[in-house]
Amino acid sequence: MHASFFTFLAAALATTAAAMPGTVLHQIKAVRGLANTTPNPIVARQGNIDWVGGKCGGNSGFVCESGKCCSQYGFCGVGAEYCGGGGNNGGGNNGGGSGCNKRTFVGDGSTGAGWPAESQWASFDTIWNANLHNLGISCTWMGQANNSPTEIAQLRSAVLSISQQSGVDARFILAVIMQESNGCVRVHTTNNGVTNPGLMQDHNGSFSCYGVNPCPESYIIGMIRSGTMGTAHGEGLQQILNRIGGSGAQKTYRAARVYNSGSIHSSGDLSHPNGATGSYASDIANRLTGCTYD
């Protein structure tokens, strides 16, 4: 549903957006840890091009395409020099994170295709606690004041409250928040023909705390409600879940794909980028099992 925080990426995606009327594009924002711990000057000099910008990790805001990892020098590739040292080997979404066994999921989101069943999801408290450290430092890379303990507590309360109001699983809401903004209440607003503000980078919503400190609780609630329950201009998770096919965990993964790219590719493969982030639904599945991305 949104483009990158970076202007040049927005321009690069403009053609794609124009070819997809009625859709909005999401670009993953979470800052990834750097996977490789074996210095290699050759890797540092190689301009291995990822699917969007040629660099990854650090403050770039970009991740590698599926099947590649980010070296400690910030380039995408395969092999031990890129994926060594405890990174997400072969997964394409590098970064130490919670130490869980991150996987790259492909296919239609079904358990038959290897995606985790709902019974394999972690509890809300487990997912929350795993992300608590990131919530405390999530605004650093944007040059904004980090979330205060009060703002973090208000974010948690809003997720649980809006989950009850909407019927959307609180774990899914939290996973999307972390995927979209790393939980930074002062996240930038992106614009690729559609403005995407707030914690969930929603569709033309009215709530943003970029440059605002402290962020009013009413704005935190508004950001999460807009992403979950939609705006006057576009769907939220609730509307998407209500109209797409599937059930259980598969329905959630399909909804994640639609929230990110506006639709599901005709092949049904949720790892198909469809003009947005190929790993998006897979990342959400990993987050729901308790994995984090640092």
Side-chain angles (χ1 to χ4, degrees):
M1 281 190 183
H2 56 76
S4 168
F5 291 135
F6 300 89
T7 302
F8 74 85
L9 177 57
L13 289 177
T15 301
T16 302
M20 299 172 64
T23 66
V24 281
L25 305 179
H26 277 255
Q27 184 62 40
I28 189 168
K29 299 300 190 304
V31 177
R32 311 302 191 183
L34 302 181
N36 186 30
T37 58
T38 305
N40 187 321
I42 296 176
V43 176
R45 291 197 298 268
Q46 287 179 328
N48 295 278
I49 304 301
D50 67 5
W51 68 274
V52 65
K55 294 207 70 175
C56 55
N59 292 323
S60 72
F62 298 129
V63 297
C64 303
E65 63 183 319
S66 180
K68 294 183 180 180
C69 300
C70 189
S71 79
Q72 72 177 49
Y73 298 104
F75 294 97
C76 296
V78 296
E81 291 175 326
Y82 295 90
C83 302
N88 186 24
N89 297 342
N93 298 315
N94 41 71
S98 63
C100 68
N101 182 26
K102 297 187 187 76
R103 296 175 55 196
T104 297
F105 300 102
V106 298
D108 64 2
S110 66
T111 55
W115 293 67
E118 201 165 341
S119 61
Q120 295 174 277
W121 293 2
S123 68
F124 177 82
D125 285 341
T126 296
I127 297 171
W128 176 264
N129 290 333
N131 284 285
L132 197 52
H133 172 73
N134 282 351
L135 286 167
I137 62 171
S138 59
C139 299
T140 300
W141 71 292
M142 285 178 253
Q144 295 285 297
N146 280 318
N147 298 337
S148 69
T150 296
E151 290 168 333
I152 292 173
Q154 290 170 343
L155 192 159
R156 175 188 169 91
S157 176
V159 169
L160 294 173
S161 174
I162 292 167
S163 172
Q164 288 187 329
Q165 295 172 39
S166 65
V168 178
D169 195 308
R171 296 171 293 183
F172 186 26
I173 298 172
L174 178 57
V176 170
I177 288 171
M178 299 308 298
Q179 185 80 3
E180 294 291 343
S181 64
N182 218 20
C184 173
V185 298
R186 277 168 283 279
V187 65
H188 298 195
T189 294
T190 59
N191 190 332
N192 186 41
V194 174
T195 58
N196 303 118
L199 285 159
M200 299 176 73
Q201 299 286 276
D202 58 71
H203 190 147
N204 273 340
S206 304
F207 297 93
S208 171
C209 276
Y210 180 62
V212 178
N213 187 17
C215 181
E217 183 173 16
S218 61
Y219 275 56
I220 294 174
I221 294 170
M223 286 187 276
I224 298 173
R225 179 181 291 118
S226 295
T228 303
M229 302 176 72
T231 69
H233 306 282
E235 296 180 312
L237 299 179
Q238 181 186 40
Q239 289 81 13
I240 295 170
L241 284 165
N242 285 342
R243 72 173 173 82
I244 64 171
S247 61
Q250 183 184 27
K251 187 172 184 176
T252 298
Y253 306 139
R254 286 170 56 85
R257 175 74 278 160
V258 173
Y259 190 78
N260 174 236
S261 59
S263 62
I264 297 171
H265 189 259
S266 58
S267 67
D269 184 358
L270 303 186
S271 66
H272 191 289
N274 215 27
T277 307
S279 65
Y280 194 95
S282 178
D283 290 343
I284 292 294
N286 278 304
R287 291 183 186 280
L288 288 168
T289 59
C291 294
T292 66
Y293 295 90
D294 295 339

